[in-house]
Amino acid sequence: MACIVHSTDTVPGCLIIKGITQCGSRFRPSDWAHRLAGAAGRLHDGRFHFHPHVRVVIVDGTSAVVVDERLAQSEPHLYDFIRKFGSDNDLQLCRQVSHPDLPHSSH
């Protein structure tokens, strides 16, 4: 089930995948968000770079992946892969509609 978020945790036009299942259990493994965000990254000049439209953040004390919805236009298969991961694992998916700044995490 999706929800609409009106908070200051993310940017407008983004998908939030929280590490909490629909029944309220914490999703495991604990590093799932970094693994998922890492799947969207790439190696360049021998260094790993996270995708600029995919971020790991903490929302309400829980790891989450925030995906800028511009990714759906620029790389629709990647966007669908990430969204489907959340859906297939019964994670809480939310769409952000307000206009605050995106918090940074330490990747």
Side-chain angles (χ1 to χ4, degrees):
M1 178 186 300
C3 64
I4 302 295
V5 175
H6 297 279
S7 73
T8 59
D9 292 330
T10 56
V11 296
C14 63
L15 173 68
I16 305 163
I17 304 172
K18 293 183 179 181
I20 301 290
T21 64
Q22 295 297 331
C23 66
S25 298
R26 190 172 296 269
F27 186 65
R28 300 284 181 215
S30 60
D31 66 344
W32 74 270
H34 283 90
R35 290 183 187 197
L36 182 58
R42 64 185 176 96
L43 279 175
H44 179 69
D45 294 331
R47 296 190 63 187
F48 183 79
H49 299 271
F50 283 91
H51 196 287
H53 293 316
V54 180
R55 287 291 190 77
V56 176
V57 298
I58 302 297
V59 176
D60 299 327
T62 302
S63 292
V65 173
V66 176
V67 183
D68 186 315
E69 288 184 343
R70 291 177 291 185
L71 186 65
Q73 299 299 315
S74 63
E75 298 184 59
H77 294 320
L78 180 55
Y79 181 84
D80 288 342
F81 168 79
I82 295 170
R83 183 188 48 76
K84 191 168 176 8
F85 175 89
S87 179
D88 288 351
N89 286 287
D90 200 31
L91 298 178
Q92 295 179 9
L93 304 176
C94 300
R95 183 171 180 277
Q96 176 67 37
V97 295
S98 62
H99 190 309
D101 293 326
L102 177 66
H104 298 284
S105 78
S106 55
H107 287 220

